Amino acid sequence: MPITGTLSAEQRRSELTARVDAHGDVRIEEAARELGVSEMTIRRDLAALEAAGEMRRVRGGAVRASGPRPFDERRESGRAAKTRIAQKTRDLVPAAGTIAFDASTTVATLAGMLGPREDLTVLTNAIQTLSALVAVPGVTPLLLGGQPDPRTGSLVGPLACRSAGELFTELFVTSSGGVDPRAGASEASLEEAEVKRVLAARARRTVLCVDAGKLGVAALARSLDLEEVEVLVTDLDPADAALDPYRDLVEIL
């Protein structure tokens, strides 16, 4: 039965969570119709709930969460948006020097599209990203130490943080589970957030790459304050109104 009246974002998300708890899943088209909002609004709600670890998005809706999603599963989600972000970010990567890539699938997409460099060393805590970089002419990939997270495939933990803390880079390219003007960037995994904080602290510049569904989303663990970020790259046109809350905080690409 359709819900009458206007619900706040918090009320909608509570309703969506209740539906997933009760039925195991929720469908975007059905939820939009019954809650009286657009499908895009429901998609944004589901992205926020996924970043908070409440559920996991699937084609056409969402299902109960079971912790952070595996790398291969995340890689298939939002492929077009990740490609667009990678295309926009590619020109920010220098031809030479030392930089760092996080373990996100968005940045792994960038690694696969990077193209030849002159003499570039890239640190990463993702085996999949390392594999993509091995094939790029002029790039020397280095894998940080650490313990593999069986949920995500990322190398995390004290050893990953310690090795990241010993190395200084010119640029850190990262994604996040969500980004909010006040809360900053955040992750569903505490361990992943810790590694990103260290990598950002050792970089001269940080570029944050997120798709539109993560805007306004605050996940479990803070990874970066927006004052640490120089450029925000999304799949949206830079003039899109959805980016207005970020204009005074970061450069938008």
Side-chain angles (χ1 to χ4, degrees):
M1 179 180 297
I3 295 176
T4 60
T6 302
L7 299 180
S8 67
E10 183 178 355
Q11 290 172 322
R12 282 196 316 273
R13 292 169 189 179
S14 177
E15 175 65 23
L16 292 170
T17 300
R19 292 179 183 216
V20 168
D21 288 343
H23 305 292
D25 68 351
V26 62
R27 309 307 298 173
I28 291 172
E29 183 178 357
E30 178 183 353
R33 182 176 63 253
E34 295 186 354
L35 297 180
V37 295
S38 69
E39 292 187 13
M40 179 57 71
T41 295
I42 297 298
R43 288 191 180 92
R44 291 185 185 278
D45 287 339
L46 296 182
L49 290 167
E50 180 182 56
E54 297 291 336
M55 58 185 66
R56 177 168 58 87
R57 282 184 293 175
V58 296
R59 182 180 296 275
V63 297
R64 287 193 183 98
S66 57
R69 293 184 296 164
F71 184 94
D72 288 341
E73 184 178 311
R74 288 182 287 123
R75 181 168 52 189
E76 295 306 313
S77 176
R79 183 183 290 273
K82 290 170 184 170
T83 299
R84 173 63 175 152
I85 291 168
Q87 290 170 337
K88 295 168 72 173
T89 308
R90 187 167 45 193
D91 289 341
L92 300 178
V93 178
T98 302
I99 67 171
F101 280 176
D102 76 357
S104 66
T105 55
T106 299
V107 176
T109 301
L110 169 63
M113 298 172 57
L114 192 57
R117 304 285 128 169
E118 293 177 8
D119 184 16
L120 184 66
T121 298
V122 184
L123 318 175
T124 185
N125 65 318
I127 295 173
Q128 296 89 341
T129 301
L130 179 88
S131 298
L133 291 169
V134 165
V136 182
V139 170
T140 300
L142 296 179
L143 187 65
L144 297 175
Q147 178 179 354
D149 186 331
R151 302 166 298 178
T152 64
S154 307
L155 297 179
V156 295
L159 182 57
C161 290
R162 179 173 179 177
S163 57
E166 295 294 326
L167 302 167
F168 295 88
T169 60
E170 299 166 31
L171 178 71
F172 174 41
V173 185
T174 181
S175 186
S176 66
V179 58
D180 179 83
R182 290 176 294 180
S186 52
E187 297 295 328
S189 163
L190 287 165
E191 297 82 1
E192 192 70 50
E194 287 178 342
V195 178
K196 293 186 181 186
R197 282 198 295 270
V198 176
L199 287 169
R202 293 297 184 268
R204 292 181 59 192
R205 302 166 56 230
T206 294
V207 172
L208 177 62
C209 304
V210 294
D211 65 72
K214 296 176 180 178
L215 297 175
V217 173
L220 173 66
R222 181 186 64 82
S223 54
L224 297 171
D225 292 327
L226 285 185
E227 63 185 21
E228 300 175 82
V229 176
E230 182 170 299
V231 183
L232 174 64
V233 185
T234 77
D235 53 316
L236 300 175
D237 185 290
D240 195 295
L243 295 167
D244 288 349
Y246 304 88
R247 297 194 192 283
D248 294 335
L249 303 173
V250 294
E251 178 184 347
I252 294 174
L253 186 63

